[in-house]
Amino acid sequence: MKCNERMSGTPWILGLILLLGSSLTATAQTTLPSYGVQGVHVIQSDGSVKTNQTIHWADGVIRRVSTDETLPSSARVLAEGDSLLILPAFIDGLNHAGMPDAVAPSSYGNPDRPSDPTYDRAGIQPHRLAELEFDVSHSSVEAHQSAGFGAVNSSHQGRMLPGQSSMFFTQAQETFSGYESPLYESALGYVFQFDGAGGRAYPSTDMAIMARFKQLLYDAEALQQHIQYVEGSGAEQMEAPKRDAVLESLFPLLNGEKPLMASVDSPEDAERVLMLADEFDFSVIFATSADLTPIASKLTQSATPVLFQFDRPEAPDWIQKEVKETAEEESEAQDETTVENEEPSEEELSEEEKAFRTRQASAWDAKKGALRSMLDAGLMIGAYGFDGKVTDFYEALRFYHEQGGVSSTELLNILSSNTAMILGIERLGTLTEGSLANMIVMRGQDWLSEDSTLLFTMSNGHVITIDND
Amino acid sequence: MTIQKSTTHKGLLTAVMMLSFTYVSAQPSTYAGPQSVLIKNGLVKTITQGDLPNTDVYIVNGIIQGIGQELSAPGNIPVIDATGKVVMPGIIDAHSHLNTVSTNEATSPVTAEITIKESIDPNDVAMYHALAGGVTTINLMHGSANVIGARNATLKLRYGADQFGLQFQEAPQTIKFALGENPTRVHGQGTGVQPRTRMGVERVIRDIFDDAIEYDRQRQAYLDQKEAHERRPNRVAPPVPVAMNLRLEVISDILKGNILVHCHSYRADEIVMLVNVFKEYGVENYTFQHANEAFKVAPELAEAGANASVFSDWWAYKFEVYYSTAYNAAILHENGVNTSINSDSNELIRHLNHEAAKVVRYGGISADDALAMITINPAKQLGIDDMVGSLEVGKHGDISIWSADPLSIYAVNEMTLVDGQVLFNREADVADARLDRAISYDQSFKDLQSEVSEAVRGRQDDACMEDAFILFESGLQTEQTHNH
């Protein structure tokens, strides 16, 4: 699939690092390579294009972007030529890439007291940090590399509160030595979803998830207060608080220091999450493939961004059929050898079904225009949820471009700088001096074109050569 | 010939595509906020002040401003000619699960911390169907899986509004309780936790009430000391925090009279049990739902000031409800129990006028009393009778207009208004009343037909105890079908 500049290395085990102490990590520093590209077109996330550019990066940081062709003698020239495009690497704003499969609810069995399952059984695991189990050699990370993602914000799979997500580089495992880690930033936010405990365990419905979430924060609030009292003055006689790692992991959310990253399927679910945010005064980042335009004013007022999933929606069968038939008729009309009077097969439709189709066609248009609609409503949109299928991903991007009215610049913006800004990692997503060297190199005239080819993905300055065979 | 049809379809698709993300709207009128309207010359059934022939009702910004003859309104106010029609208050259904996202959180015998207000589906076409039957307000309830279920949501059927706009904001909070087979089957038989018997049901209620009383004491003591500590930190020691407990807060509010109980029940003995428990804990103004054996203890209910919300003639769908009578509502009424007729069904809700008429047919009560059972009586049970349930100046402009006496089998609801806005008009009725936002882009026509067929197929024919309330399937809880 790819080759890398370093083919040896030791898998990192962060859990071991934590056990042995951070001083060990210093013994395993690696020197990041120095690279350059020359004479290329640079496309920034804002759509601006500069031709005949030279980019030099070393130690994972972009050192220079200019028309000066001179590269340091130590830099290896990765590529050159005016047929090459260089863009910011994509960022996946929320994913499970590199994480183990979710534990099936049935494997837990049913709790003795369904109303009061353990935190794990209930799917309440906000204390879990992704880096404790992230596996950079996982095929899902490789798929991200192949699609042009240089970084991914990954979290555990699970249910209501599966864990806190962390940002990882997608650089290959072979580029690490010792106990190094692809982790860039830990614990960006708390993942939340309307996914009940499953089986005979509380909570099982969305409304119960809402209530359980509130109770968690009430309990966390009391525990935090207790700890503060004990640590303060005048509480010498006070009993010690009953420490609780799950509740304590929620203190930053309770204090408004970290966002809730809420996966929702509908505007109504998003409104429910906003109710929680209003009550407890924390910020939210939504992850969805739904059209949240109906609640756009609420989102803009609260400066709540949205991570959008680029799935390729399928038109209803009858529309696909008609589009196909129309294309065939047009083709036949141009073909002089077509036999005249050859009538296509027809289907009889009731008036009811005709009316149904009229409304469904409108719904299909709305689906296609969902992203455009949210952009026009002024929402801050990033990207998330790449499912590992590279071809489908680019088809989805072209779908929203060609049928959804979203420009290639807007798409690039969504996939790079917007996602970086939403996650608060502004050294990603741009190609400027001092930015992290996360880039992609493509051959072609238009990065979104089906004819363009992804050649390299750079993550943290490391080069991943994409095998397009 | 067929080419023309096909061309028509393709032309349609092409036209839609050219519109570029604009909707072709075929949905009915949707809620746009309180409106002004003058309804002229109808037979006005006020419910509380008798019938008024050839009378006008003038609604200004959603509130009834005048009821009388020869009323006039500014020229820009729409006028509805109700000559020959019957104008009555919008029907109120005190027991519905019309548009819940989920109905039962069946994993705990007590789930007072949950609220159906966080489980409202504002896109369900069932609301339009109910409007077509003249219904304007519903009690959207949690199911009956738990002894104490979730808090309910009183909704106005403002079709097209969002989940917040549908809520009857001024209505007091109500909560669902349930006695008998459902909670004992779900929890006792289902998961081996209390309650397994009707005795256990009572124990669950008493225990949680006692817990709430103790919690309330501890929480208040904590808050008091916290406040004192913050005021004089050097003189008052900080208290050990007592976390807010949402479940017990709600139970405490029941005991304080801030939340009205609506209790699923069937048998006379369990009904009397709850009356006694409530008397002991000082809980008042509650309503027994279903209450098929309530007629046996009607005097006791009247003495306790309890309400009853019942079916007109529906029973025998499981063991605990084999003993009942179509005279139930009439007997309760004659004994002075405020009684309403409810639907608990997305189909029955569309003809509650017929259900009320059955009480006249079987029980021989007056037509006015029967209409009260679907208007002002349920309004009292929901604590909203000062706003809706009758046609009086100052009340909400929630109205249904009928082609004839609503208790006639031939009567048809022609128009329904909520807050003065016409949200159902039989003359302008659309074939497909779904909201634009509820249209699925990938649902097949066949699947939609099945869905509609299910929605309008009438009473559930499987409402019997054999396959009632299947809670758990293959070890995993599935979405539960509410089963009375």
Side-chain angles (χ1 to χ4, degrees), chain A residues 105-106 110-116 198-212 214-215 218-219 221-223 225-226 229 233-235 238-239 267-269 271-272 275-276 279 291 298 313-316 318-319 321-323 325-326 329 343-350 352-369 372 403-405, chain B residues 1-3 5-7 9-10 12-13 16-28 101-109 111 113-123 142 150-151 162-164 189-191 193 222 226 229-230 233 237-247 432-437 439-445 448-449 472 475-477 479-480:
Chain A
S106 55
N110 287 320
D112 291 338
R113 296 179 61 214
S115 62
D116 190 23
R200 303 180 186 188
Y202 180 92
S204 72
T205 58
D206 290 1
M207 56 184 172
I209 289 170
M210 294 283 288
R212 187 70 187 93
K214 290 177 202 173
Q215 192 58 54
Y218 294 144
D219 291 344
E221 198 171 35
L223 179 57
Q225 178 79 80
H226 198 160
Y229 280 152
S233 60
M238 184 177 282
E239 66 193 60
E268 289 78 23
D269 271 354
E271 286 177 324
R272 292 178 187 115
M275 287 165 61
L276 297 173
E279 178 173 351
D291 181 3
K298 292 180 183 178
E314 292 293 332
W318 66 271
I319 289 183
K321 186 179 173 192
E322 288 194 356
V323 169
E325 285 178 3
T326 302
E329 283 174 13
E343 294 186 2
S345 61
E346 300 298 336
E347 55 179 325
E348 294 291 341
L349 291 179
S350 65
E352 188 181 8
E353 188 162 4
K354 286 179 191 171
F356 164 84
R357 289 188 175 189
T358 301
R359 300 198 74 188
Q360 189 166 56
S362 298
W364 172 236
D365 262 5
K367 178 66 182 175
K368 289 190 293 185
R372 173 77 271 154
Q403 299 195 49
Chain B
M1 291 298 155
T2 51
I3 289 174
K5 282 186 180 174
S6 174
T7 305
H9 305 151
K10 284 171 188 165
L12 166 68
L13 176 59
V16 170
M17 292 171 80
M18 286 173 65
L19 286 171
S20 182
F21 317 134
T22 57
Y23 288 84
V24 177
S25 176
Q27 66 183 6
V101 176
S102 303
T103 300
N104 273 296
E105 173 61 42
T107 56
S108 174
T111 53
E113 71 279 11
I114 296 168
T115 174
I116 287 289
K117 287 177 179 171
E118 292 169 356
S119 191
I120 299 168
D121 177 3
N123 305 319
H142 188 262
R151 285 162 285 160
D162 64 14
Q163 59 183 323
F164 308 107
Q189 294 177 35
T191 59
V193 300
Y222 158 65
K226 181 169 183 275
H229 168 68
E230 287 168 357
V240 174
V242 176
M244 161 98 86
N245 185 311
L246 190 50
R247 180 178 295 174
D432 179 357
R434 292 175 298 162
L435 295 168
D436 284 339
R437 66 187 189 218
I439 306 285
S440 166
Y441 77 92
D442 58 358
Q443 184 181 34
S444 74
F445 183 60
L448 177 64
Q449 283 181 310
F472 304 109
L476 291 178
Q477 185 173 338
E479 185 66 25
Q480 290 134 32

Side-chain angles (χ1 to χ4, degrees), chain B residues 133-350:
Chain B
V135 179
T136 53
T137 295
I138 63 170
N139 181 19
L140 191 71
M141 304 184 85
H142 188 262
S144 50
N146 309 333
V147 178
I148 299 179
R151 285 162 285 160
N152 308 311
T154 304
L155 301 187
K156 279 208 175 192
L157 298 183
R158 298 171 174 132
Y159 195 49
D162 64 14
Q163 59 183 323
F164 308 107
L166 288 170
Q167 293 180 36
F168 197 142
Q169 297 293 351
E170 306 91 335
Q173 183 63 60
T174 69
I175 191 168
K176 180 74 175 283
F177 277 38
L179 311 177
E181 287 180 12
N182 286 358
T184 54
R185 186 176 341 184
V186 171
H187 302 289
Q189 294 177 35
T191 59
V193 300
Q194 196 180 50
R196 176 73 185 224
T197 64
R198 282 183 164 78
M199 296 180 288
V201 170
E202 179 178 353
R203 189 71 257 161
V204 167
I205 295 170
R206 287 179 176 276
D207 283 349
I208 199 72
F209 279 7
D210 291 342
D211 288 349
I213 291 167
E214 179 59 17
Y215 160 78
D216 210 33
R217 188 188 64 73
Q218 291 184 12
R219 172 79 177 165
Q220 194 54 55
Y222 158 65
L223 291 173
D224 290 345
Q225 189 176 340
K226 181 169 183 275
E227 186 187 3
H229 168 68
E230 287 168 357
R231 210 170 48 243
R232 293 179 296 175
N234 297 326
R235 299 187 61 182
V236 179
V240 174
V242 176
M244 161 98 86
N245 185 311
L246 190 50
R247 180 178 295 174
L248 295 177
E249 287 279 340
V250 173
I251 300 295
S252 178
D253 269 343
I254 294 170
L255 297 174
K256 291 171 184 167
N258 299 328
I259 296 178
L260 306 178
V261 175
H262 282 244
C263 184
H264 162 109
S265 56
Y266 290 108
R267 281 182 18 184
D269 57 348
E270 65 188 11
I271 289 172
V272 171
M273 176 277 290
L274 194 65
V275 167
N276 290 334
V277 170
F278 279 177
K279 192 178 291 179
E280 193 175 322
Y281 286 88
V283 177
E284 297 177 339
N285 196 15
Y286 46 91
T287 300
F288 286 100
Q289 295 281 344
H290 306 319
N292 285 64
E293 287 189 18
F295 66 94
K296 295 180 178 177
V297 291
E300 288 83 355
L301 292 180
E303 185 187 344
N307 304 277
S309 185
V310 304
F311 298 130
S312 57
D313 62 348
W314 193 1
W315 65 87
Y317 41 84
K318 57 180 166 176
F319 191 77
E320 64 182 346
V321 67
Y322 264 77
Y323 195 146
S324 194
T325 169
Y327 292 84
N328 192 23
I331 294 170
L332 288 163
H333 174 72
E334 291 301 322
N335 278 274
V337 178
N338 179 50
T339 304
S340 69
I341 300 294
N342 68 53
S343 80
D344 191 15
S345 156
N346 290 9
E347 191 279 330
L348 268 190
I349 198 172
R350 293 181 290 138

Side-chain angles (χ1 to χ4, degrees), chain A residues 2-9 174-175:
Chain A
K2 61 197 180 304
C3 59
N4 303 285
E5 70 277 1
R6 181 195 289 266
M7 298 305 292
S8 63
E174 292 80 7
T175 61

